[in-house]
């Protein structure tokens, strides 16, 4: 399903309760879109929590790596990841120890790589630590299909959905952990893809565009992100839908 193109829309109805990170490519530094492709290496958090994202390895300054877009429906503002070495690091304090949370973002990708090992698949968001049930977690793709994995339960495991997202269309993705189950939503719809939960997140920082393999970025995924949010609460289905439509053009 093509959820249409995202627009900058904090004031248009995005859920704000529990919001601890809000990154919007249209206002990368809180005011304006960058003039050059890679010169800006901080993505300013627009929430009141000051959890800025830090860009790494965006050196190509091209349509495949760096800031892009003109702000139109056809060409929205976005940060492009080449799937080779680009990633954004988030503060460890944003996620450490949380037992309920929501990750919420707009993404466009053509990534088609796959792996038989669930935590080594192209990452959209993730952190991998040891042992197997250490509190690591990730959202990734496998052959273009959206998936979720983690060590938030008695053991570590991953699930791949039947939903393809590598169609070069914009999609709204949300992962909601209510303390018992972490499940995926795609374009405001529960896609019946989840993992069991019984523990909080580990202390290490999370990356998006790659997975933080305990201090080393790995398992890069080709993607473009227009917006990325993190909540310290589990959003309801109604709130997930609200966020989807808040940014939908």
């Amino acid at each position: 399903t093509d959820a249409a193109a995202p627009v900058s829309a904090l004031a248009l109805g995005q859920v704000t309760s529990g919001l601890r990170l809000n990154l919007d490519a249209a206002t990368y530094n809180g005011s304006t879109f960058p003039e050059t492709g890679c010169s800006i290496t901080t993505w300013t958090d627009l929430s009141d929590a000051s959890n800025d994202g830090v860009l790494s390895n965006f050196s190509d300054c091209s349509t495949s790596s760096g800031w892009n877009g003109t702000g139109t429906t056809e060409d929205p503002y976005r940060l492009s990841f080449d799937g080779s070495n680009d990633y954004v690091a988030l503060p460890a304090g944003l996620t450490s120890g949380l037992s309920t949370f929501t990750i919420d973002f707009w993404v466009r990708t053509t990534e088609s790589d796959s792996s038989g090992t669930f935590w080594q698949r192209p990452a959209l968001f993730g952190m991998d630590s040891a042992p197997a049930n250490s509190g690591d977690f990730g959202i990734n793709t496998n052959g273009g299909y959206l998936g979720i994995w983690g060590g938030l339960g008695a053991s570590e495991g991953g699930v791949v959905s039947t939903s393809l997202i590598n169609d070069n269309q914009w999609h709204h993705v949300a992962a909601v952990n209510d303390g018992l189950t972490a499940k995926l939503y795609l374009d405001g719809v529960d896609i019946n893809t989840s993992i069991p939960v019984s523990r909080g997140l580990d202390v290490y920082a999370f990356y998006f565009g790659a997975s933080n393999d305990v201090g080393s970025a790995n398992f890069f995924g080709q993607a473009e992100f227009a917006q990325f949010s993190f909540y310290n609460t589990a959003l309801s289905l109604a709130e997930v839908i609200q966020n989807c439509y808040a940014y939908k053009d």
Side-chain angles (χ1 to χ4, degrees):
T1 302
D2 178 10
V7 295
S8 176
L10 180 61
L12 297 182
Q14 182 184 11
V15 175
T16 57
S17 178
L19 183 62
R20 304 304 294 159
L21 170 74
N22 186 42
L23 305 179
D24 185 342
T27 51
Y28 78 103
N29 69 347
S31 60
T32 58
F33 190 75
E35 295 293 332
T36 57
C38 306
S39 62
I40 306 301
T41 58
T42 297
W43 196 348
T44 301
D45 177 17
L46 301 180
S47 80
D48 60 1
S50 300
N51 286 310
D52 297 345
V54 178
L55 282 63
S56 290
N57 302 327
F58 291 86
S59 59
D60 294 342
C61 292
S62 68
T63 56
S64 64
S65 177
W67 299 103
N68 282 286
T70 58
T72 66
T73 299
E74 297 76 19
D75 189 32
Y77 297 123
R78 60 199 182 272
L79 182 62
S80 301
F81 296 70
D82 60 15
S84 175
N85 61 354
D86 301 342
Y87 69 96
V88 173
L90 302 177
L94 171 68
T95 53
S96 179
L98 287 181
S99 56
T100 60
F101 58 83
T102 299
I103 301 114
D104 174 284
F105 54 86
W106 277 92
V107 66
R108 181 169 68 180
T109 182
T110 58
E111 179 65 69
S112 60
D113 285 354
S114 61
S115 173
T117 303
F118 61 84
W119 50 273
Q120 294 181 353
R121 294 165 181 161
L124 295 171
F125 171 85
M127 180 274 296
D128 172 47
S129 60
N133 59 345
S134 61
D136 50 5
F137 178 77
I139 304 167
N140 56 18
T141 62
N142 196 48
Y145 290 90
L146 185 63
I148 187 172
W149 67 272
L152 299 177
S155 60
E156 191 173 51
V159 181
V160 179
S161 74
T162 58
S163 299
L164 277 170
I165 65 165
N166 67 340
D167 55 2
N168 202 33
Q169 301 293 326
W170 285 102
H171 292 284
H172 181 260
V173 175
V176 178
N177 172 20
D178 64 5
L180 297 175
T181 304
K183 65 170 58 178
L184 285 175
Y185 296 85
L186 179 63
D187 300 328
V189 176
D190 182 345
I191 57 173
N192 298 312
T193 305
S194 64
I195 56 172
V197 173
S198 59
R199 68 182 68 243
L201 293 171
D202 207 343
V203 298
Y204 301 102
F206 277 78
Y207 296 169
F208 66 97
S211 185
N212 179 10
D213 195 13
V214 191
S216 177
N218 213 336
F219 317 121
F220 300 93
Q222 180 281 324
E224 296 177 291
F225 288 84
Q227 178 268 343
F228 190 101
S229 297
F230 186 91
Y231 295 80
N232 61 8
T233 57
L235 297 189
S236 66
L237 173 57
E239 289 174 320
V240 169
I241 294 172
Q242 178 179 336
N243 273 3
C244 180
Y245 279 88
Y247 278 87
K248 186 175 180 179
D249 189 10

